[in-house]
Amino acid sequence: MESSAMRVGTSGSPAAPWHRVLLRRLGYLWWFKAVGTTLFMTAFFAAYLHLLHFPLYPVTVMPLTAVDRAIGFQPWALAAYASLWIYVALPPAIAPTLGRLFGYGWHIGGLCLAGIAVFVFWPTAVPPADVDWGLYPGYALLKGIDAGGNACPSLHVATALYSAIWLAADFREVGAARWMRGLNGLWCAVIVFSTLATKQHVMLDVLAGTALALLAAALSPGLRRRLPAKVAVPV
């Protein structure tokens, strides 16, 4: 049986422990990955914020559901919400080849473009929350930049979930320990929850973002080949 800490290479000799494999992957073209990820995020934010502040059509306010009413504002969730920008940088950071790196880039880029296209023709926003944002300096900064617009689909949810699926495939590939795989799922779940707890999104945004992520995963052939059949996303 294959160990979670040590795998057997194709030559029959023991392969490196999974954590060493991930460290080698992190070191591979790290400067190129860092620059590319930064440029990608900069371009995305430029388009996102332009549409947020200058919508082309009337803005639709998303309705609340019972889930939104049940989940109150939770100040701690801001840290989890902001951690997305570290989380989505992990798949490209541990890409072992240029092909894998560009594969992730093309597909998450397509996911983001699909979301931006929706925002162009159907701008949305969340209803105002009964919270004095001035009491929470971090939130005052967040609301000053991203005032709950470009809500549906939630690209926070879509990019987090797509990255979680990608990381799950990577961790299986290197034989990562179960706790590492569990941490991946937990981090993604907390980010998704934070979109509701920060009142940046409503449940309908989350559902639409989830659907967008699953569609992107289904259209990513390189990703589907690395997922076991029982969890591969059906087309």
Side-chain angles (χ1 to χ4, degrees):
M1 181 177 294
E2 182 180 286
S3 168
S4 63
M6 183 75 75
R7 296 175 297 116
V8 176
T10 55
S11 64
S13 59
W18 63 269
H19 50 87
R20 292 186 181 176
V21 175
L22 289 179
L23 285 174
R24 283 204 299 265
R25 288 187 175 195
L26 279 171
Y28 172 71
L29 292 178
W30 65 268
W31 57 271
F32 182 76
K33 295 171 179 177
V35 171
T37 300
T38 301
L39 291 176
F40 180 94
M41 290 186 177
T42 301
F44 166 77
F45 267 114
Y48 177 91
L49 293 176
H50 178 79
L51 288 174
L52 178 65
H53 297 296
F54 304 101
L56 300 179
Y57 297 97
V59 177
T60 299
V61 177
M62 298 299 295
L64 296 175
T65 67
V67 174
D68 301 305
R69 298 185 181 93
I71 298 176
F73 169 65
Q74 302 183 33
W76 66 264
L78 179 61
Y81 189 84
S83 75
L84 173 78
W85 308 114
I86 298 173
Y87 189 64
V88 296
L90 293 179
I94 63 173
T97 65
L98 281 176
R100 186 77 62 81
L101 178 63
F102 285 116
Y104 175 80
W106 278 114
H107 287 96
I108 201 164
L111 181 156
C112 291
L113 283 175
I116 291 293
V118 173
F119 301 152
V120 169
F121 297 102
W122 186 48
T124 51
V126 295
D130 187 20
V131 178
D132 183 356
W133 301 115
L135 297 176
Y136 308 94
Y139 279 93
L141 176 62
L142 174 64
K143 297 298 180 178
I145 298 173
D146 183 4
N150 290 347
C152 188
S154 168
L155 289 186
H156 227 78
V157 170
T159 54
L161 183 55
Y162 184 76
S163 296
I165 296 171
W166 194 278
L167 286 171
D170 280 336
F171 290 158
R172 288 185 62 88
E173 187 175 58
V174 302
R178 289 183 181 275
W179 67 262
M180 190 69 170
R181 304 181 201 180
L183 180 61
N184 175 45
L186 177 62
W187 193 349
C188 177
V190 171
I191 290 173
V192 172
F193 177 79
S194 76
T195 64
L196 300 174
T198 57
K199 299 305 173 183
Q200 284 293 104
H201 288 283
V202 298
M203 192 62 194
L204 293 178
D205 306 335
V206 171
L207 294 176
T210 299
L212 180 58
L214 295 179
L215 177 61
L219 297 176
S220 302
L223 174 59
R224 294 183 70 233
R225 281 194 296 269
R226 293 187 296 127
L227 286 172
K230 65 180 180 180
V231 299
V233 179
V235 178

